[in-house]
Amino acid sequence: MKKVLTALCLGFLCLGSTLSADDRERAIQFEKLPKAAIAFVEQHFSKDQVLFATEETEFLGKEYNVMLENNISLQFDKEGKWTKVECRMNPIPQDLIPNEIQTFIEQKFPQMSVREIQRDKRGWEVELMNGIGLEFD
């Protein structure tokens, strides 16, 4: 019984080290991003200079990060669809915010703009300029 438990523990340890070793991030040229990501940046942030781009290889796929001037950070999934937009100094472009969320913010938080928006399969997360976080499904 002790040998079985020891073997299981060693197996989990090896599996854990293999999974964590697979996570790596490397710098890439902007042109190496998926086409959808490039089009998104050119459409919504054409005035902002790209500082750097990275590709992060994870166990289940890839993720791309782009840093623009003015502290603008973008994240994309493996297909190049945006998953997170963070503008630390200025509001994010309004056309990235779904109408229902924009209407809610205008009603409940007048005169307040959005500095971060994130989307995934479960819904949307928004952070306002005053630091208030909102979740939508």
Side-chain angles (χ1 to χ4, degrees):
M1 182 70 166
K2 243 183 184 181
K3 288 181 182 181
V4 172
L5 286 175
T6 304
L8 282 173
C9 288
L10 284 174
F12 284 122
L13 228 122
C14 290
L15 179 63
S17 65
T18 302
L19 293 178
S20 65
D22 194 31
D23 289 347
R24 50 198 146 105
E25 187 173 10
R26 65 183 180 98
I28 61 170
Q29 294 178 349
F30 177 72
E31 296 78 23
K32 300 286 184 184
L33 290 170
K35 290 180 182 178
I38 293 171
F40 177 85
V41 173
E42 290 173 348
Q43 178 182 355
H44 297 287
F45 298 98
S46 61
K47 296 177 183 174
D48 299 294
Q49 180 183 358
V50 175
L51 299 178
F52 64 88
T54 61
E55 175 186 73
E56 187 173 344
T57 303
E58 299 177 347
F59 180 66
L60 296 175
K62 292 183 180 184
E63 182 177 278
Y64 299 93
N65 299 298
V66 176
M67 188 69 170
L68 305 175
E69 64 183 357
N70 297 324
N71 283 325
I72 299 171
S73 174
L74 311 172
Q75 290 182 357
F76 301 93
D77 64 13
K78 63 184 175 186
E79 298 165 352
K81 295 178 186 171
W82 72 270
T83 57
K84 182 177 181 180
V85 175
E86 183 177 5
C87 300
R88 293 181 184 101
M89 309 194 63
N90 299 310
I92 65 166
Q94 289 236 328
D95 57 342
L96 297 180
I97 306 168
N99 291 335
E100 298 85 4
I101 294 175
Q102 185 65 40
T103 301
F104 178 85
I105 292 171
E106 288 171 357
Q107 291 173 352
K108 302 293 182 182
F109 303 95
Q111 310 293 307
M112 190 58 54
S113 53
V114 175
R115 71 179 283 284
E116 180 180 324
I117 189 164
Q118 185 172 349
R119 66 180 182 178
D120 60 22
K121 295 176 186 173
R122 296 171 295 169
W124 299 75
E125 291 181 31
V126 172
E127 185 176 324
L128 304 178
M129 287 299 235
N130 63 1
I132 292 177
L134 306 170
E135 292 184 22
F136 300 91
D137 57 6

